[in-house]
C-alpha cells in the first residue's frame, strides 16, 4: 500500500526530489504479463494485478462482484488502475464498477492510484468513465496535487485541460505550483503550470508561503529561476513569520544554487528598496535603460573616431581606445542586465549603419557622381524594409488560445502513450508542433521552419521572415560595397591617393593621414562586408544545395527523417527548385514551386516515414 507524501512532505526539510524527466517519459507503459501458461490458480486480485484478462473474465462471469472489496476496502478497479491494466479496467467499468470508489489506508480512488504511478492511459480511461479528479484522499490531496508532487507533467496538463483549476488548493492550501516547486527539481511541471495560468501570489493556509517561498526552502534552483525570471513572481509577499522571498534570498547571493541572473535580479530589488530617489527611479526605468543600451554604440563609435582622428601619438591613441573599451565594459556590467546586453549586436549594427549614412552625406557625396548617391540611398530603402521585416516581423510564431491548448492536450493524451512525443508536442508552449518547427530558448516560443535566432536583428528567423532576412543580407553586402567604392572616390578626389600608383601599405598610411574618420568608417565597412558576405553565401548554400535550415544542418543527426534519408534533406529537390520553393516564385512559369504552409504542416510525405521526428528525446527543447 502506498503512503501519501501530501502532508508529510510539507513538514520535512529539503523536500525537493530530483525528477529530471520530460513529460513523454512520465507516461508509464503497461507492465508485461509474466510468461505463464496456466492462470487457473490465480484469484481475481492476482489475475487483475498480472493482467490475466481471461482469468478475470472467467471469475466475473462465474458471479464475482466487481465492486467487492478486500480486507483493506480496496476494489478490483484500484488494482487494475495502479497496474495500468487498460483492458481489464474497461471490462470492470462495463460491468458496473464504481469509478470513484474510496479504499485503502488513504481513502483514495482508483484515479488517485493511477495518478501516483503516472499512468496516463488509465487516467484517461477513468476520466472518460466519469471519475472525479477533484476528490481528496485522507490527507487532503486531489489528483492534480499528486501529479505535481511526482512530476507527472502530462497528467497535470490533462487534468487542467479537463477543467481542473491550476490553482486548486488541497486541505492545507497548497496549490499544484507550490507542490511542484517544493518537490520537483526539473523545469516541468512548474513551467507548464505557469503557462496554464497558475498564480504565483497565492499562499498556503498553514505557513502563508507562496510558490517562491517553497522553491527557496527546497533550494530548487530551476523553480526559483523560472518563477523570478520568467513569471516575474513577487519578491515582497511576506509569509506568516514575516519573511519575504527577497529577505530569504539576499543572504544566499553567491551560493551555488542561486544562478547569476537570479542574483542580479535580487541585487536590483535590494537596491530599489533601499533607494527611492528620483535618479534611482529614472535609472531603473526600463524604457530609459533600453534607449541607453541602443544609444551606447552610437556614442562609442563616434568617440573612437574622434580618438583616431586626434593629433596624438599612435601609442596614446591605442591607450585611449583601451580605456574606452574598459569604461564601456564596466558600464555594461554595472548598468545593463543580460536582457539588455542581448540588444548589443543590434545596437552595433544600427550605429554602424547610421554613421555610414552621415559619412556618405557629409564626406563622400560631394566627391562622387550624383548617380552613385541616388543608387546608395535608394538601395538603402530596400535594406531598411527587409531589416524591419526581419527585426519586427513575425518569424512564424506558433501560437494558440487557451481553449486550443486544452483541446490539443486532450487529443494527444487520448491518442495514447505516444501522444506527448516531443516531435508532436511542445511542453513549453503547449502547442502541437508543426514539421521543422523548434522552440527557441531565447524568445521562449515555437517558430515554424526555424532557422536560427539572429542577435543582429534580435529576432528568430523562420518561415515568415527568412526571405526578408536573405534580402537584408544581400542589401547589406551591397551597401558595404558601395561604401568602400565611395570611400575610394573620396580618397582619390580629396587626397590624391591612387591604389594603382601607390603601394598597398603606402596607400594605407596615406588613407589614415588623409581623413581618419572616413578611414574608420571604411574599416568598419570592410569588417561587416566580410562576415555578412560569408553568412549570405552559407545561407544560400543551405537553402539551394542542401534544402535545410541552419538548425537542421547543425542537428541533422538528431532527426530520424534525416538519418533515414542518408543525412540528406527529405525536403530537397534540386538547387533551382529549392530556390523557387524558398522564394515561392515560378519565374514566369519556368519552375513549379511547392508552396507549403509550415505553420500547419505536421506530417512528412507518406513515402518517407512515420517514425517520431526526434531521435534524442532528452534534448528536444534545444535541438
Amino acid at each position: 500500500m502506498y503512503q501519501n507524501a501530501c502532508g508529510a512532505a510539507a513538514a520535512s526539510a529539503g523536500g525537493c526530489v530530483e525528477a529530471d524527466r520530460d513529460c513523454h517519459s512520465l507516461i508509464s507503459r503497461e507492465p508485461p504479463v509474466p510468461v505463464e501458461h496456466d492462470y487457473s490458480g490465480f484469484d481475481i486480485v492476482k489475475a487483475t494485478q498480472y493482467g490475466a484478462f481471461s482469468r478475470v473474465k472467467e471469475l466475473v462471469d462465474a458471479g464475482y462482484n466487481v465492486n467487492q472489496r478486500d480486507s483493506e476496502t480496496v476494489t478490483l478497479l484500484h488494482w487494475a488502475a495502479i497496474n495500468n491494466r487498460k483492458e481489464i479496467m474497461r471490462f470492470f467499468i462495463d460491468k458496473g464498477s464504481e469509478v470513484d470508489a474510496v479504499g485503502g489506508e488513504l481513502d483514495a480512488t482508483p484515479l488517485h492510484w493511477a495518478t501516483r504511478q503516472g499512468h496516463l492511459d488509465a487516467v484517461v480511461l477513468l476520466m472518460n468513465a466519469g471519475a472525479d479528479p477533484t476528490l481528496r484522499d485522507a490527507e487532503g490531496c486531489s489528483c492534480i496535487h499528486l501529479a505535481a508532487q511526482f512530476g507527472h507533467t502530462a497528467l497535470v496538463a490533462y487534468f487542467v485541460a479537463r477543467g481542473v483549476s491550476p490553482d486548486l488548493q488541497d486541505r492545507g492550501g497548497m496549490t499544484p505550483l507550490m507542490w511542484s516547486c517544493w518537490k520537483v527539481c526539473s523545469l516541468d511541471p512548474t513551467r507548464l503550470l505557469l503557462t496554464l495560468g497558475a498564480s504565483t501570489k497565492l499562499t498556503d493556509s498553514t505557513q502563508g508561503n507562496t510558490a517562491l517561498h517553497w522553491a527557496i526552502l527546497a533550494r530548487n534552483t530551476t523553480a526559483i529561476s523560472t518563477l523570478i525570471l520568467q513569471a516575474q513572481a513577487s519578491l515582497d509577499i511576506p509569509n506568516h513569520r514575516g519573511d519575504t522571498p527577497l529577505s530569504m534570498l539576499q543572504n544566499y547571493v553567491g551560493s551555488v544554487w542561486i544562478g547569476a541572473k537570479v542574483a542580479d535580479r535580487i541585487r536590483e530589488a535590494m537596491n530599489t528598496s533601499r533607494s527611492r530617489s528620483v535618479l534611482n527611479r529614472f535609472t531603473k526605468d526600463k524604457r530609459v535603460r533600453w534607449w541607453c543600451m541602443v544609444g551606447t554604440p552610437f556614442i562609442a563609435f563616434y568617440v573612437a573616431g574622434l580618438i583616431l582622428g586626434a593629433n596624438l601619438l599612435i601609442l596614446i591613441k591605442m591607450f585611449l581606445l583601451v580605456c574606452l573599451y574598459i569604461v564601456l565594459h564596466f558600464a555594461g556590467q554595472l548598468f545593463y542586465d543580460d536582457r539588455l546586453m542581448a540588444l548589443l549586436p543590434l545596437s552595433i549594427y544600427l550605429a554602424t549603419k547610421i554613421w555610414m549614412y552621415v559619412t556618405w552625406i557629409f564626406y563622400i557625396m560631394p566627391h562622387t557622381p550624383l548617380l552613385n548617391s541616388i543608387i546608395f540611398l535608394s538601395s538603402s530603402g530596400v535594406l531598411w524594409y527587409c531589416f524591419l521585416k526581419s527585426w519586427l516581423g513575425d518569424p512564424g510564431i506558433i501560437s494558440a488560445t487557451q481553449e486550443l491548448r486544452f483541446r490539443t492536450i486532450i487529443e494527444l493524451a487520448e491518442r495514447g502513450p505516444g501522444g506527448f512525443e516531443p516531435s508532436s508536442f511542445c511542453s513549453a508552449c503547449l502547442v502541437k508542433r508543426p514539421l521543422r518547427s523548434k522552440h527557441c530558448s531565447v524568445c521562449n516560443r515555437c517558430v515554424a521552419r526555424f532557422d536560427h535566432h539572429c542577435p543582429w536583428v534580435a529576432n528568430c528567423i523562420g518561415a515568415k521572415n527568412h526571405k526578408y532576412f536573405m534580402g537584408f543580407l544581400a542589401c547589406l553586402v551591397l551597401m558595404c560595397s558601395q561604401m568602400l567604392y565611395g570611400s575610394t572616390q573620396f580618397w582619390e578626389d580629396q587626397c590624391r591617393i591612387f591604389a594603382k600608383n601607390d603601394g598597398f601599405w603606402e596607400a594605407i598610411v596615406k588613407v589614415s593621414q588623409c581623413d581618419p574618420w572616413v578611414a574608420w568608417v571604411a574599416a568598419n565597412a570592410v569588417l561587416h562586408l566580410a562576415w555578412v558576405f560569408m553568412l549570405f553565401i552559407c545561407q544560400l548554400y543551405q537553402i539551394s544545395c542542401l534544402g535545410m535550415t541552419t538548425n537542421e544542418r547543425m542537428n541533422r543527426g538528431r532527426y530520424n527523417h534525416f538519418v533515414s534519408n542518408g543525412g540528406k534533406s527529405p525536403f530537397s529537390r534540386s538547387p533551382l527548385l529549392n530556390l523557387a520553393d524558398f522564394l515561392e516564385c515560378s519565374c514566369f512559369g519556368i519552375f513549379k514551386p511547392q508552396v507549403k504552409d509550415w505553420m500547419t504542416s505536421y506530417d512528412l510525405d507518406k513515402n518517407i516515414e512515420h517514425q517520431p521526428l526526434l531521435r534524442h528525446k532528452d534534448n528536444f527543447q534545444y535541438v
Side-chain angles (χ1 to χ4, degrees):
M1 193 67 59
Y2 287 88
Q3 295 295 326
N4 196 331
C6 182
S12 62
C16 186
V17 178
E18 179 62 35
D20 193 10
R21 300 163 293 180
D22 293 318
C23 63
H24 62 277
S25 65
L26 301 172
I27 304 166
S28 301
R29 300 286 194 260
E30 186 171 353
V33 177
V35 182
E36 296 185 28
H37 299 287
D38 184 11
Y39 303 108
S40 59
F42 283 14
D43 61 24
I44 194 166
V45 173
K46 189 174 183 180
T48 300
Q49 292 172 338
Y50 280 91
F53 178 73
S54 58
R55 177 60 177 166
V56 170
K57 187 176 185 302
E58 177 186 345
L59 293 173
V60 172
D61 289 344
Y64 192 93
N65 182 5
V66 294
N67 286 313
Q68 183 174 334
R69 300 166 183 264
D70 60 17
S71 59
E72 295 180 321
T73 68
V74 176
T75 68
L76 294 175
L77 189 58
H78 281 86
W79 292 117
I82 202 172
N83 289 285
N84 203 30
R85 305 301 181 187
K86 300 185 290 294
E87 187 179 17
I88 295 177
M89 290 175 65
R90 293 190 188 96
F91 178 72
F92 286 156
I93 291 171
D94 290 341
K95 291 296 183 179
S97 183
E98 185 181 351
V99 293
D100 285 331
V102 175
E105 296 178 3
L106 299 175
D107 294 333
T109 66
L111 189 60
H112 283 98
W113 284 36
T115 301
R116 282 181 172 278
Q117 297 301 102
H119 294 322
L120 179 62
D121 292 336
V123 167
V124 170
L125 198 155
L126 289 168
M127 290 281 287
N128 288 336
D132 186 355
T134 62
L135 294 178
R136 295 175 178 174
D137 60 18
E139 294 191 346
C141 286
S142 70
C143 292
I144 193 172
H145 300 113
L146 295 177
Q149 288 177 34
F150 291 100
H152 298 319
T153 305
L155 292 181
V156 173
Y158 184 68
F159 286 133
V160 176
R162 290 295 299 264
V164 179
S165 171
D167 291 325
L168 181 68
Q169 294 180 300
D170 64 13
R171 185 178 299 164
M174 295 283 286
T175 65
L177 182 62
M178 296 177 193
W179 277 118
S180 177
C181 293
W182 172 246
K183 296 290 290 180
V184 184
C185 289
S186 60
L187 185 58
D188 285 319
T190 299
R191 178 181 59 180
L192 177 136
L193 285 163
L194 292 170
T195 304
L196 291 173
S199 173
T200 61
K201 297 181 179 180
L202 292 176
T203 60
D204 68 86
S205 56
T206 305
Q207 301 185 43
N209 288 335
T210 64
L212 184 53
H213 282 94
W214 285 110
I216 296 168
L217 289 172
R219 297 193 175 187
N220 189 340
T221 303
T222 303
I224 293 171
S225 299
T226 305
L227 289 169
I228 293 179
L229 301 179
Q230 297 183 20
Q232 301 294 313
S234 175
L235 294 169
D236 301 320
I237 300 176
N239 60 15
H240 293 338
R241 294 186 300 179
D243 295 329
T244 65
L246 180 60
S247 65
M248 296 171 68
L249 283 170
Q250 61 187 8
N251 295 326
Y252 296 105
V253 175
S255 301
V256 293
W257 57 276
I258 297 294
K261 295 181 180 180
V262 173
D264 290 340
R265 177 68 179 87
I266 296 169
R267 294 188 189 97
E268 180 181 342
M270 292 169 60
N271 293 334
T272 302
S273 63
R274 292 172 183 170
S275 175
R276 300 293 179 181
S277 65
V278 176
L279 179 62
N280 181 267
R281 289 197 298 268
F282 181 78
T283 55
K284 297 302 178 183
D285 187 276
K286 292 183 178 180
R287 289 174 297 179
V288 172
R289 297 180 71 194
W290 190 91
W291 281 108
C292 288
M293 178 72 256
V294 173
T296 298
F298 286 85
I299 299 173
F301 192 103
Y302 179 69
V303 172
L306 289 181
I307 293 173
L308 292 171
N311 188 21
L312 299 172
L313 295 175
I314 186 65
L315 291 178
I316 298 178
K317 292 182 180 180
M318 296 300 295
F319 173 76
L320 292 176
L321 289 174
V322 171
C323 290
L324 176 63
Y325 171 79
I326 293 174
V327 170
L328 292 173
H329 175 75
F330 282 102
Q333 296 291 324
L334 184 62
F335 297 109
Y336 304 131
D337 54 24
D338 290 338
R339 181 186 63 86
L340 289 173
M341 288 301 292
L343 293 172
L344 184 59
L346 173 64
S347 303
I348 292 174
Y349 160 74
L350 289 174
T352 305
K353 189 162 68 171
I354 294 300
W355 283 118
M356 283 186 182
Y357 288 136
V358 172
T359 304
W360 185 279
I361 294 172
F362 291 101
Y363 288 84
I364 297 176
M365 185 178 291
H367 302 279
T368 189
L370 180 61
L371 180 61
N372 289 351
S373 296
I374 293 175
I375 295 174
F376 178 81
L377 296 176
S378 60
S379 62
S380 293
V382 180
L383 171 62
W384 273 102
Y385 175 78
C386 292
F387 168 71
L388 292 175
K389 282 286 189 177
S390 301
W391 176 24
L392 304 176
D394 178 11
I397 301 171
I398 310 298
S399 59
T401 62
Q402 195 79 312
E403 181 183 358
L404 181 58
R405 286 173 173 170
F406 289 167
R407 287 208 307 265
T408 300
I409 291 170
I410 294 172
E411 174 191 342
L412 295 177
E414 296 182 349
R415 182 183 298 176
F420 286 97
E421 285 286 342
S423 61
S424 58
F425 180 75
C426 174
S427 66
C429 301
L430 305 183
V431 296
K432 193 174 181 181
R433 292 184 58 177
L435 195 64
R436 308 183 79 181
S437 66
K438 177 187 175 293
H439 184 85
C440 176
S441 59
V442 179
C443 298
N444 193 31
R445 58 193 183 184
C446 284
V447 177
R449 205 188 66 196
F450 179 85
D451 189 84
H452 70 289
H453 182 91
C454 181
W456 296 100
V457 297
N459 198 5
C460 293
I461 305 302
K464 289 189 175 181
N465 68 347
H466 201 170
K467 289 187 294 185
Y468 299 110
F469 179 71
M470 291 297 291
F472 162 66
L473 294 180
C475 290
L476 192 55
V477 168
L478 179 61
M479 178 183 182
C480 292
S481 301
Q482 289 176 315
M483 191 70 208
L484 290 176
Y485 178 71
S487 299
T488 58
Q489 290 187 317
F490 170 83
W491 293 322
E492 290 178 357
D493 187 57
Q494 179 73 13
C495 308
R496 302 302 175 184
I497 300 173
F498 300 95
K500 295 180 180 179
N501 301 333
D502 301 319
F504 176 76
W505 291 111
E506 184 181 354
I508 293 295
V509 172
K510 289 183 178 181
V511 163
S512 62
Q513 295 174 346
C514 172
D515 194 306
W517 175 263
V518 176
W520 165 239
V521 174
N524 278 271
V526 171
L527 179 63
H528 283 277
L529 176 62
W531 74 262
V532 173
F533 180 74
M534 292 300 297
L535 179 58
F536 177 74
I537 293 300
C538 181
Q539 284 277 317
L540 193 62
Y541 172 73
Q542 289 175 172
I543 293 168
S544 61
C545 299
L546 300 181
M548 296 181 183
T549 63
T550 301
N551 172 61
E552 290 168 341
R553 185 183 182 188
M554 294 177 64
N555 301 289
R556 71 179 82 181
R558 296 180 180 179
Y559 294 97
N560 275 325
H561 51 293
F562 283 95
V563 175
S564 62
N565 203 40
K568 299 179 180 179
S569 173
F571 314 106
S572 179
R573 298 200 288 166
S574 69
L576 292 178
L577 291 178
N578 287 340
L579 275 177
D581 294 344
F582 176 78
L583 298 173
E584 298 180 0
C585 175
S586 62
C587 296
F588 306 102
I590 299 176
F591 304 110
K592 293 183 179 180
Q594 292 182 351
V595 180
K596 195 165 187 176
D597 183 8
W598 295 109
M599 300 282 292
T600 58
S601 300
Y602 298 98
D603 299 309
L604 287 166
D605 193 323
K606 294 182 179 180
N607 296 324
I608 299 175
E609 64 165 307
H610 294 282
Q611 302 179 38
L613 300 183
L614 294 182
R615 288 169 58 86
H616 302 291
K617 299 177 183 178
D618 54 339
N619 277 323
F620 72 91
Q621 284 295 347
Y622 304 106
V623 294

